Structure formats: structure tokens, C-alpha cells
């Protein structure tokens, strides 16, 4: 081998080594870089990556709350924020569509931008986005639009190409909405973000909110997270629906009546609860506080407010004595003229009636405090017998909560001689017997009376009857009996008689109704008896049930601190009870059918009255020709084989005869005559509370339609 | 004797290269499935879906091309090299007329749903003809004529590709410098070229005011080596360097440049008088050239390059000047993807950055960041080692051949691979300017995949035949 070829070989070898060295050098360089990025600076880059995309927990769409008729009480309406990824559409698509997109945006959302402004914004943001100058790539278009608007928006040029080619980004939000606004709003409750939930929304929060699920989201400008995929394409999880026992027609009635009472009596507040006797289901529950803005639902008095029940509690003390077999209703009791001293305290009846010897039944009817106290003292007054009275109340279920599913129910406050030895006085039994020195919530009081109406069976009051998942019932709540028989049948029957007679000829005469027989008890509670120097304050209440003979509904009305003169339960709460009872009877078709006699039904079916002009064509058509259309208002009723048409006399200043008229005509007449009126039911008028021909005064004319 | 020859053939087959090649092919396939599979929220991803994907078809074609390369004797390729080269040139001309435009470059033929990139074919055919030509007896790269013809073979396709324009693909042809290097081109040429590149980078990185003094200082070393006694000159030079470093930032830079230029000229005259004139003239010319290049690149950057091209250079050399939401975005997103993978990565199909298109061009230019995100440091390191093994192995196989054609051919393949790997991976980590050059075997791009597989196949066949004459 020559030296020259040896040299050449060496040189080649060096070349190869140099090359391999270069490979190694570059490999090291890259290796160093990878180590630096993924190991040394790993945390920095990881946090950068994670802040951009995440699985975010998203709440399911909240379930609806329904009333028993299927009316929606609370629902979540979807709202959408629309953003646009301006770099998603191609130049061709964007340039072709930007003009018409701007046009439609300006047309459908005129309060956002004008067409020119839209065009400028879109093109400018897109240009900036392209240059990655600013993070304006995901431009916010419009916010808080509804489903209809979204559908429209999805048909716009460019956007109609969808998420990937049109850049449409839809962010879904939900807003809670109560179609009945203020009605039972406290009972339905609130689903709030920044405060505790209340009412049914709180009680059934877990059921309503449903499963939380995760959606892959990415962060865009302004710290907003948008879903990676079109939410419309995703299956949206939904919470379960809650069906309540509430009846919104009745709720409406209860609310209106209570509102009138609270406002007219300038009361501090009021509550009314309507319950289904047999099941214990709450049909309506109104809680109104008198504020500057009017009567509003802002606290659930029915469930959450403890107060001394006053005279309505005599139902409990009398039932105790009757059930223990002590009391005979014809037993004599001395009322001492309406004023009597018990130990160191003087007890007064509502007024100095001057009566002395009366029967126990009469004492109940006239709601004599002294009567109840005297009798209670007689049977439970001895120290050894004290506990028997309280234990009896316990057996009525009055010492325990009702366990309604709504949050916020306190325990009743009822003393026990063995437990509250220091505060148990000689006067405790006489005062407890007429509803003082103890506290109950309105619902607890009503539930006890409901048991009496129910023949002695104490039900657990409830408000939610079933849960619905995906349109199908998946859980039904059965009615729960708390105490099978709170007192003997006999004692219950005697109590029924007492309550009926209280309405028929006792303190509750004002509650007596032509439409439905009511049984109940008034209550007038002095609130601030401890503060003698203050102006006297009272709570007026009425508790009872109807129809008296076969009770279907029980009802309690409490008006807190009325200030417009009247404060007696019979005068303030009683009329509310009566109006609600009558209204509910009319609303409840089955109940109505059982009450309305056949004669009335015939009348309703055949009797027509109204504006003659309306009937003219009908009458002509069926061959009645001699209609005197000069008469504005007519009666039409079938007589044997012919139709009789008579003129109806409407006189200024006199209550009109509205029988047989449709609501429109009746209202027209009442409005033009200046009559104060209220309307119940639908169909034609079959009853009016003030007879025709009487002078029109400030009294409210109530008409019932059927 | 058939069994004998078969055994021999199997014995000659290089298993290492083939295994590495198959591994890379498989990794590439998985990566493309991962990138293509971008609906992260979706469940029920199936192998069937992956197989239906059109990119998978190209992996089948790639295996076919590899096998084809293995079957055909290298002598055939050697003999048809001019024909294939001509076809490639014709196609490159044709694509300018009949091609379709993708991202502003007319570099694709579209045939019935499939597209084909003739520049990839040109890559192979140019290497084939170059190796074939340089392997001819009587061709010597030291001779000017041979050198010019060899350069011509390379420059012709480069020019045609620049017309498309596809600077990235054109740049890949510079990797054929490996062949020239192996063929014995004077190392001084490479030194000069790298120096010039250094000057350009220096001018862009530090600016003229700093680059020119550095050039002058380095050029003085060229004069110093002309003297027999270098020590005193080196001492003076070191003093100058010290003064420059110490006071450079306090004095107007042009004064320093002028002062250094004066020293250089004085020293040049002195050296010319004391020694021979010719080397001094050469050194002066080199210095002048370097200064001109420095000024030229500065001028070119400011006046010829368009803003987006300036941006690319800034992303590479001056990332601090760039808008993170703007031109720097790609590189930051890519680094974020790699960095967020950590040691072991987020797992196959789990990379969120790449899945959600935060990393642009993730299936082509930035595929390495998907790898880094999903398979972490271990994954990126693994792929890099596979590439390193492949490069070394190809070099070794080329060297063990007695046939110069095979040697040049192997060096060419190694050159292409090396260039593309370094530029692509470097790019994803901000080490290299962002030029659209795909990662071999892994980036999406059917034509490149098939051609590279074919090249490996043919080369392995050549290696099997290395002892044949």
C-alpha cells in the first residue's frame, strides 16, 4: 500500500469521526433542550398547559317543580352566551358572509351594535386574531339569548356552518324562573348561588340538581371557559322533576284572600295553609308579610314561626278532657261573668258577658277562656295530674314536629311539669288550656285539627308527591300516618259537634256559608300581654275544616297583628277562611258536584242571560223572531217547549241581577255600575252574594260561576 | 444452489437498521392516529377507525416501497439514475403548471384523491444521480469540471423547487453536502461555508456593530499565523480583546470598529512587508468578504425580508422581541406541549394541548411536541436515540461498502435524515428557525414517507450486495 493511499485512508477515517462527532453533538444539544423543557422547566409548562384546558364540572339542568295539576312552579330556562371563533371560517367563507352576518346581528340584536359596527368589529378582531396580536380570536357576540334566538342565530351566514367551520361557540347557562311569580314563592323557595337555598328548592336540592358531570372546556379571552364541543350536541343531564301536592288554582285563591285580609287590616303578616284531610298533602300555603312594596312572600310563617295559638288551642284541651272521659258536654261550668282570678292572676273572657252557669259546650262555643281554664283546672289542676294533661297533648302529636319536608320547622314549645319544674306554676294549666304558655307553628296547629277532621288519624303533612326522571315517575311518596288514632272516636265526634256549633251559632257565626258547611274555631291571641304599657297587639286566627260532615279540606288562617280596629279571629281571620272554603269548594269539581243540588245544576245548564245583541243571531238562526233588541240585556230560559226571552232590568245604583250571565257580561255590568266585586269559578253566574235590587255600597259582591 | 444464495442474502441483511426503521414507522403511525384522533371527549375509539384512516394506507405503501427497494439490485438503479433524474425534473416542471396550490406553494400533483409531491421524488433521484456520477471512474471532485457538474445536478432541482416556492424542501437538498464531504471535497470549503453562516447568524444575533469588530479580531489571527514568532502578537491580540470586552460598551461602537480596522490594516501592511504578500491579500479579502456578508445580511433582513420572514428569524434568535400571542405562539405552544408531558407523558391519545389544536401544524412540523406531550421525556428521548442509531448505522454500513456509489448513496440518506431531524426537532424547541420541514417517518406526509422507506430499502439491498463487484 502506498503512502498516498494510506494518507487518504486516514483522512477518510477522520472525516467519518468528524461526522459521527457532529451527530453526537447535535444529539446532545437536543437532549439538553428536551431535559430542560420537560424535566427542569416541566412544572412551568405543565401549569401553562393545564390552565388552558380542563375537565370542568358542570351542573345538570335543574329539574322542574310541578303542582298537582302539572303546572310548572319553577323551571330552569336555558340561556346562551354566543362567542365566535373568528379564525374557524376560511377567508372565502368569512368574506362572503360577513356582510350579511353583520346585517342579521344588527337586525336581531339592535341594542348591541349597528350593522357597520358589527362588520368593523368582526373583520378587525379577525385580523388581530390572525396576527395573534390580541386574544380577540374568540369574540363575544351576544349574551343571555333564549332558545328561539339561538335557533335563529344558528341560521345566520357563516355561523350556520357550525362550530368547526363557522366558529360558533355556544355557552349554555340556566336561569331559574317561577311562572307563577309571587304565588307560593316562599314555599317553592329559591335556588340562589350566593345565599342558602330555601323552600322546596332547598329540601329537594339534590334531587332537582341531578348528577354533576364533566365537560371538556378550554379557556378563552377574559377567563371564560367554553365547552370544546357544541353543547347542543352533548346530551344534557337533567335533574329530576319534583311534583308537589300544591294546587295553583287554590293557591291563587288562598293568596288573594290572605293578601286582602293582610292589607285591609293593616296586619303585620299573615299565613294560610290548606290541607287535604285524608292524605295530609298541602294544597296551598301562603305566607305574606306586609311591606312597603305590598304583601310579599318573604318568610315561611306557616312552618317556621312559633307563637301562642290562643283560643284555637281549646280544641286540644277540650279533646283531652273528652278523651280522658272526664268531660261531659252538658256539664256546668261557672264563667263568673267573664272575669275570674286564678291564683295571683286575673283571667278575662273576650268581653264581660255577665254569664255565670253555662254548659261546657256553650263555654266552648262562646270561646270562654274561663270555661276552658276552669274545666282544665278541675281535671288536671292537682300537681299529680299536671303531667297527664301534657302527656295527653303528646298523644295528640302536639309535642312533636310535623316533619314536613321543608326546612326550618322548630319543635313546639310545650312545658312539662316534670321537666320544667321552675317555670311550672299553678296558673300554667289554666293558661295552657286556652292556648298560652305554649307555642306552636301554624302548621303544627293545623295538622292537629286535620287529625280531628280525619276521624282521629294524624297524618304527616307533605308537599312532594312524586319524583319524575326522564318523564317517568320513579319515586312516589306514600302518605304517612304519624298516629293512627289520636283520641277515641267518640271524643272526635263530640269535637266535630262542638266545632260545627261554633260556626253555626257560636263565635264563628261570620264564617257560616251558604255554599259549604264549615266547622272550626276562632282564635284571638294577645301577643304582647307582658308589656302592659304597649299598645295591645293580637294575632287573629281561624282553624277548621269543610265540608263539616265529610271533611275534605282543613284550613288555618292566621293574621298577625291586625291594626285596623278589628282583631278578633272571627272578624279578621274568619271571613278569609269562609271565602277560601267557598272558593275551594267551587274549584273542587267533585266536591261541588256533591254539594250542588240538582235544581241548581238544571238552572245552570239551561239558564242564559246576557247582551241581547250577542244572542240575536243565535235566536234568529233557531227561529225566534220577535226579539226586542232594543232591550240591551235579556234573560233566556226554556219554558216547556219554547224559549222565553225576557228583558233584564239593570238599574243605576242598584245591585244587578247577574244570574245566568257569562263572566264578560257580568264584569261589564259590574264595572259600569261601579260595584266592588270578586269572581270565583268559570262558566255562567249561578250565585251572587248580594241580592239584586239592593243599593250599591262598599260591600264586595261576590259572584260564583259554574 | 438456491438455498445457499438465500441464506447468504439473509445473512447479509442488516437487522439493526431494519428494526430501527420498523420501530420508527410504527411510532409514526401511532402518533398520526393520536393527532388525527382529536375528539377528546369521545369514547369508543377503535383500531378499525384507525385502519380506515387514509394516513394508515401510506404506511402500507411505505412497507411496499421498502420491500421493492430490497428486491431490486442496486446496479439497476445505478444504470437508470439519469432517466429517473430526468423524470423527476420533468415532474418538477410539470407541477409548476399542473400542480395544485396548498398554502401558497404549487408543490402537489393531485390524482384521484391522492396527492403526490414531486420534490420528494427529486430528493431521491438527485441523490441517485449524484452518487452515480461521483462513483464513475474518472470523476474526481477535486477537479473543477467534476465539481461543477455535481453541483449542477443538485442546484437544478433546488431552483425548480424554489419556483414553487417551497424554501423548506429546497433547503433539504443542502444535506447532499454529506455526499460532497464523503467524496473528498476540501474541508476548507465547509469551514468557509460554516464561517459565512456564522457571520450571517452573528450579524442577525448581535448586530453589525458587534459582529464587524469580532470579524476583525478573528481575521487578525489569520495574519498572526503568518509570522514565525506568534507569541508576542498573540499577547497583543489578547490585550486588544481585553480592551474591547472591557470598554466596548462604554464607547461609541463605530469608534471601536474604526480603531480595530486601523489596527488590522496596519498589521496587514506590516505582515506583508515582513512576510509574503499573497496570504495577506487572501486574509484581507476574506475579512472584506465577511464584513460585506455581515452588512449584506443586515441589509437583507431590514430591506428584503418581508415582516413575516423577519418574524421567523426573530422567533429563533430574538424570542424576547416577539409577541407570545403572535409570532412566538407556535414555539411556545410546542414547548408547552413538550414540557407538560413531564417524564412519562400524559399517555397515548391523552395529550390535551396537541389534541385541541393548541399546537399548530401538529401533524407535520410539530409532531415532536405531540410525542413529548403524550410520551414525555422518555418518549422524546427514545425517538431521538432511534434516530441516532439509524444515522450511525447508515454511516457504518456506507463505510463498510467497497463501492463508492453505495457509500455516497448512504451518506446522502444520512444527510437527508440528519438535516430534517435536526431542523424539525430543533424547531419544536426553539433551537432552529421555524421552516416547514417534516420529521422523517413520523410527520404526516405520504410521499416523503414512501420515498424515505424506499431509500432505506434500496440501501439495505445495496448493503447486502456490498461484497459483489
Amino acid at each position: 500500500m502506498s503512502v498516498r493511499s494510506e494518507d487518504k485512508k486516514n483522512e477518510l477515517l477522520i472525516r467519518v469521526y468528524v461526522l459521527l462527532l457532529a451527530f453526537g453533538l447535535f444529539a446532545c444539544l437536543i437532549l439538553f433542550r428536551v431535559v430542560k423543557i420537560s424535566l427542569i422547566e416541566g412544572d412551568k409548562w405543565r401549569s401553562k398547559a393545564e390552565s388552558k384546558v380542563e375537565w370542568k364540572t358542570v351542573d345538570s339542568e335543574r329539574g322542574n317543580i310541578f303542582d298537582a295539576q302539572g303546572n310548572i312552579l319553577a323551571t330552569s330556562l336555558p340561556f346562551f352566551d354566543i362567542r365566535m371563533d373568528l379564525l374557524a371560517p376560511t377567508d372565502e367563507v368569512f368574506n362572503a358572509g360577513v356582510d350579511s352576518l353583520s346585517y342579521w346581528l344588527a337586525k336581531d340584536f339592535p341594542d348591541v351594535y349597528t350593522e357597520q359596527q358589527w362588520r368593523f368589529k368582526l373583520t378587525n378582531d379577525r385580523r388581530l386574531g390572525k396576527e395573534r396580536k390580541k386574544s380577540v380570536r374568540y369574540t363575544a357576540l351576544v349574551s343571555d339569548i333564549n332558545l328561539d334566538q339561538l335557533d335563529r342565530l344558528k341560521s345566520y351566514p357563516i355561523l350556520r356552518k357550525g362550530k368547526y367551520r363557522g366558529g360558533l361557540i355556544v355557552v349554555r347557562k340556566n336561569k331559574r324562573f317561577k311562572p307563577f311569580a309571587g304565588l307560593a314563592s316562599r314555599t317553592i323557595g329559591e335556588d340562589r348561588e350566593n345565599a342558602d337555598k330555601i323552600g322546596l328548592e332547598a329540601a329537594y336540592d339534590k334531587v332537582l340538581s341531578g348528577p354533576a358531570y364533566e365537560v371538556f372546556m378550554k379557556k378563552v379571552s377574559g377567563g371564560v371557559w367554553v365547552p370544546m364541543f357544541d353543547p347542543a350536541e352533548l346530551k344534557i343531564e337533567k335533574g329530576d322533576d319534583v311534583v308537589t301536592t300544591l294546587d295553583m288554582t287554590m293557591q291563587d285563591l288562598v293568596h288573594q284572600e290572605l293578601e286582602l285580609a293582610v292589607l285591609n287590616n293593616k296586619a303585620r303578616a299573615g299565613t294560610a295553609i290548606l290541607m287535604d284531610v285524608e292524605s295530609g298533602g298541602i294544597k296551598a300555603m301562603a305566607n305574606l308579610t306586609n311591606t312597603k312594596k305590598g304583601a310579599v312572600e318573604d318568610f315561611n310563617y306557616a312552618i317556621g314561626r312559633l307563637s301562642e295559638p290562643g283560643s284555637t288551642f281549646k280544641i286540644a284541651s277540650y279533646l283531652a278532657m273528652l278523651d280522658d272521659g272526664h268531660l261531659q258536654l252538658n256539664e256546668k261550668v261557672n264563667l263568673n261573668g267573664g272575669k275570674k282570678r286564678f291564683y295571683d292572676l286575673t283571667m278575662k273572657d273576650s268581653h264581660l258577658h255577665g254569664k255565670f252557669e253555662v254548659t261546657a259546650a256553650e263555654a266552648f262555643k262562646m270561646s270562654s277562656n274561663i270555661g276552658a281554664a276552669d274545666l282544665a283546672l278541675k281535671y288536671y289542676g292537682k300537681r299529680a295530674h299536671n303531667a297527664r294533661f301534657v302527656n295527653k297533648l303528646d298523644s295528640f302529636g302536639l309535642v312533636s314536629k310535623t316533619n314536613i319536608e321543608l326546612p326550618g320547622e322548630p319543635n313546639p314549645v310545650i312545658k312539662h311539669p316534670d321537666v320544667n319544674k321552675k317555670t311550672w306554676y299553678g296558673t300554667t294549666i289554666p293558661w295552657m288550656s286556652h292556648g298560652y304558655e305554649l307555642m306552636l307553628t301554624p302548621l303544627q296547629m293545623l295538622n292537629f285539627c286535620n287529625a280531628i277532621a280525619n276521624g282521629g288519624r294524624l297524618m304527616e303533612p307533605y308537599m312532594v308527591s312524586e319524583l319524575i326522571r326522564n318523564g317517568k315517575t320513579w319515586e312516589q311518596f306514600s302518605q304517612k300516618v304519624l298516629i293512627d288514632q289520636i283520641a277515641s272516636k267518640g271524643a272526635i265526634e263530640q269535637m266535630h259537634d262542638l266545632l260545627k256549633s261554633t260556626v253555626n251559632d257560636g263565635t264563628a257565626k261570620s264564617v257560616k256559608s251558604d255554599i259549604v258547611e264549615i266547622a272550626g274555631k276562632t282564635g284571638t291571641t294577645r301577643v304582647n300581654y307582658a308589656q302592659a304599657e304597649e299598645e295591645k297587639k293580637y294575632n287573629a286566627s281561624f282553624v277548621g275544616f269543610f265540608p263539616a260532615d265529610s271533611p275534605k279540606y282543613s284550613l288555618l288562617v292566621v293574621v298577625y297583628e291586625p291594626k285596623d280596629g278589628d282583631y278578633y279571629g272571627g272578624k279578621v281571620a274568619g271571613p278569609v277562611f269562609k271565602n277560601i272554603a267557598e272558593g275551594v269548594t267551587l274549584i273542587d269539581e267533585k266536591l261541588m258536584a256533591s254539594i250542588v243540588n240538582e235544581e241548581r245544576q238544571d238552572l245552570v245548564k239551561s239558564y242564559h242571560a246576557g247582551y241581547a245583541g250577542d244572542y240575536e243571531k243565535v235566536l234568529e238562526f233557531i227561529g225566534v223572531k220577535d226579539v226586542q233588541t232594543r232591550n240591551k240585556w235579556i234573560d233566556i230560559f226554556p219554558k216547556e217547549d219554547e224559549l222565553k226571552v225576557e228583558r233584564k232590568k239593570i238599574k243605576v245604583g242598584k245591585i244587578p241581577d247577574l244570574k245566568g250571565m257569562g263572566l264578560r257580561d257580568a264584569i261589564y255590568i259590574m264595572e259600569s255600575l261601579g260595584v266592588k266585586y270578586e269572581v270565583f269559578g268559570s262558566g255562567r253566574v249561578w250565585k251572587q252574594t248580594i241580592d239584586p235590587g239592593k243599593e250599591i255600597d262598599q260591600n264586595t259582591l261576590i259572584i260564583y260561576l259554574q | 444452489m438456491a438455498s445457499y444464495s438465500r441464506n447468504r442474502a439473509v445473512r447479509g441483511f442488516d437487522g439493526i437498521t431494519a428494526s430501527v426503521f420498523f420501530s420508527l414507522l410504527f411510532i409514526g403511525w401511532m402518533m398520526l392516529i393520536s393527532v388525527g384522533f382529536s375528539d377528546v371527549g369521545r369514547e369508543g375509539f377503535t383500531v378499525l377507525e384507525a385502519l380506515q384512516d387514509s394516513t394508515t394506507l401510506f404506511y402500507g405503501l411505505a412497507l411496499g416501497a421498502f420491500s421493492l427497494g430490497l428486491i431490486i439490485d442496486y446496479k439497476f438503479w445505478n444504470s437508470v439514475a439519469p432517466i429517473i433524474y430526468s423524470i423527476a425534473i420533468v415532474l418538477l416542471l410539470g407541477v409548476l403548471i399542473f400542480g395544485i396550490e396548498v398554502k401558497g406553494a404549487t408543490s402537489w400533483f393531485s390524482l384521484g384523491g391522492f396527492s403526490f409531491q414531486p420534490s420528494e421524488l427529486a430528493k431521491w433521484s438527485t441523490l441517485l444521480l449524484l452518487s452515480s456520477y461521483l462513483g464513475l471512474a474518472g470523476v474526481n471532485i477535486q477537479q473543477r469540471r467534476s465539481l461543477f457538474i455535481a453541483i449542477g445536478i443538485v442546484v437544478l432541482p433546488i431552483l425548480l423547487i424554489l419556483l414553487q416556492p417551497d424554501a423548506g424542501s429546497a433547503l433539504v437538498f443542502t444535506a447532499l453536502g454529506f455526499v460532497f464531504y464523503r467524496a473528498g471535497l476540501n474541508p476548507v470549503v465547509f469551514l468557509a461555508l460554516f464561517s459565512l453562516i456564522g457571520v450571517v447568524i452573528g450579524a442577525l444575533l448581535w448586530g453589525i456593530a458587534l459582529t464587524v469588530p469580532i470579524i476583525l479580531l478573528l481575521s487578525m489571527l489569520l495574519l498572526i499565523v503568518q509570522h514565525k514568532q506568534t507569541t508576542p502578537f498573540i499577547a497583543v491580540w489578547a490585550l486588544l480583546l481585553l480592551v474591547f470586552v472591557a470598554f466596548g460598551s462604554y464607547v461609541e461602537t463605530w469608534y471601536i470598529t474604526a480603531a480595530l480596522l486601523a489596527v488590522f490594516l496596519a498589521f496587514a501592511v506590516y505582515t506583508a512587508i515582513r512576510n509574503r504578500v499573497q496570504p495577506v491579500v487572501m486574509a484581507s479579502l476574506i475579512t472584506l468578504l465577511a464584513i460585506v456578508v455581515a452588512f449584506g445580511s443586515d441589509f437583507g433582513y431590514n430591506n428584503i425580508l418581508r415582516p413575516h420572514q423577519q418574524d421567523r428569524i426573530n422567533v429563533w434568535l430574538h424570542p424576547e422581541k416577539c409577541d407570545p400571542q403572535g409570532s412566538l405562539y407556535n414555539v411556545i405552544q410546542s414547548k408547552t406541549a413538550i414540557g407538560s408531558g413531564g417524564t412519562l407523558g400524559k399517555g397515548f391519545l391523552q395529550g390535551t394541548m396537541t389534541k385541541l389544536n393548541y399546537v399548530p401544524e401538529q401533524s407535520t412540523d410539530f409532531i415532536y411536541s405531540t410525542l413529548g406531550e403524550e410520551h414525555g421525556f422518555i418518549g422524546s428521548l427514545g425517538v431521538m436515540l432511534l434516530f441516532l442509531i439509524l444515522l450511525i448505522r447508515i454511516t457504518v454500513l456506507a463505510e463498510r461498502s467497497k463501492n463508492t456509489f453505495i457509500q455516497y448513496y448512504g451518506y446522502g440518506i444520512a444527510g437527508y435524515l440528519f438535516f430534517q431531524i435536526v431542523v424539525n426537532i430543533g424547531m419544536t424547541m426553539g433551537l432552529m428557525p421555524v421552516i416547514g420541514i417534516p420529521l422523517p417517518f413520523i410527520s404526516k406526509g405520504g410521499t416523503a414517507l414512501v420515498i424515505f422507506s424506499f431509500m432505506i430499502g434500496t440501501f439495505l439491498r445495496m448493503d447486502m450486495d456490498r461484497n459483489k463487484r
Side-chain angles (χ1 to χ4, degrees), chain A residues 11-12 14-20 22-24 26-31 33-35 37-39 41-43 45-50 52-53 55 129 131-135 137-138 164 216-220 228-229, chain B residues 39-41 178 180-182 184-187 323 325-326 329-330 332-333 335-336 338-343 346 352-353 356 358 360 368 377 380-381 384 388 391-392 395 399 411 414 418 422 425-426 429-432:
Chain A
E11 196 213 316
L12 266 177
I14 289 168
R15 283 188 184 232
V16 174
Y17 287 145
V18 168
L19 189 68
L20 293 180
F23 289 165
F26 275 97
C28 286
L29 185 65
I30 289 170
L31 181 71
R33 199 69 179 198
V34 173
V35 167
I37 292 175
S38 65
L39 299 184
E41 296 175 347
D43 289 339
W45 297 115
R46 250 190 304 287
S47 66
K48 221 178 163 112
E50 273 159 17
K52 283 186 186 283
V53 280
W55 285 100
E131 293 167 7
R132 297 196 191 280
K133 283 277 191 289
K134 284 255 165 56
S135 42
R137 177 176 167 186
Y138 299 98
Y164 299 106
F216 209 62
M217 295 185 129
K218 74 171 165 185
K219 201 177 188 177
V220 300
M228 287 304 302
F229 311 104
Chain B
D39 294 357
V40 169
F178 272 54
F180 287 92
Y181 174 77
R182 180 61 183 77
L185 189 63
N186 193 342
D323 177 8
Q325 285 295 322
Y329 182 84
N330 294 9
I332 287 185
Q333 295 306 322
K335 280 168 135 184
T336 306
I338 296 172
S340 68
T343 313
K346 298 177 184 171
T352 52
M353 294 295 298
L356 301 174
Y358 271 105
Y368 197 72
F377 172 67
S380 357
L381 183 70
M384 218 185 65
L388 190 60
L391 285 175
I392 293 172
T395 314
E399 283 303 331
Y411 265 72
F418 179 72
V422 167
I425 296 182
M429 286 178 291
L431 284 174
M432 291 279 165

Side-chain angles (χ1 to χ4, degrees), chain A residues 224-437:
Chain A
V224 177
W225 291 88
V226 300
M228 287 304 302
F229 311 104
D230 190 346
E233 291 166 11
L234 283 177
K235 196 185 117 208
I236 291 170
E237 301 288 335
K238 196 172 175 298
D240 298 333
D241 293 336
V242 168
V243 178
T244 64
T245 55
L246 292 172
D247 179 318
M248 283 328 261
T249 320
M250 296 183 185
Q251 177 74 37
D252 188 23
L253 169 75
V254 170
H255 185 99
Q256 284 188 31
E257 289 298 337
L258 186 68
E259 186 177 24
L260 274 175
V262 167
L263 296 178
N264 289 344
N265 292 299
K266 299 192 171 69
R268 204 167 65 75
T271 181
I273 318 160
L274 180 70
M275 202 176 203
D276 182 65
V277 167
E278 208 187 314
S279 64
I282 307 288
K283 287 282 177 185
M285 183 183 270
N287 294 284
L288 294 171
T289 308
N290 200 348
T291 67
K292 281 173 190 163
K293 285 183 260 169
V296 295
E297 292 237 353
D298 73 352
F299 181 79
N300 198 326
Y301 298 96
I303 284 170
R305 188 178 182 89
L306 282 168
S307 61
E308 289 170 310
S311 301
T312 49
F313 198 74
K314 287 170 194 159
I315 301 172
S317 46
Y318 269 72
L319 188 67
M321 293 184 281
L322 287 167
D323 193 45
D324 275 339
H326 302 308
L327 183 66
Q328 301 300 313
L329 287 179
N330 55 6
E331 181 179 338
K332 294 287 181 194
V333 60
N334 187 353
L335 303 187
N336 201 27
K339 192 174 177 182
K340 189 171 178 179
R341 236 184 131 71
F342 290 87
Y343 301 95
D344 54 336
L345 288 173
T346 304
M347 188 184 294
K348 287 180 189 166
D349 280 348
S350 58
H351 57 284
L352 289 171
H353 42 64
K355 287 184 178 159
F356 288 84
E357 285 269 301
V358 297
T359 63
E362 277 169 323
F364 186 88
K365 272 200 311 200
M366 61 188 286
S367 195
S368 167
N369 299 338
I370 296 166
D374 225 31
L375 290 166
L377 204 58
K378 182 171 159 190
Y379 297 117
Y380 302 110
K382 285 186 188 159
R383 193 71 179 90
H385 297 162
N386 286 171
R388 274 168 43 198
F389 179 61
V390 179
N391 292 341
K392 203 71 205 169
L393 298 180
D394 194 10
S395 75
F396 294 162
L398 276 168
V399 180
S400 319
K401 286 194 206 183
T402 66
N403 286 331
I404 189 154
E405 59 263 69
L406 288 182
E409 186 189 15
N411 273 312
V413 180
I414 291 183
K415 292 194 280 194
H416 194 283
D418 300 341
V419 179
N420 313 85
K421 281 178 184 159
K422 280 188 181 169
T423 54
W424 191 272
Y425 315 107
T427 53
T428 298
I429 285 283
W431 257 263
M432 274 176 82
S433 72
H434 67 291
Y436 290 89
E437 289 195 34

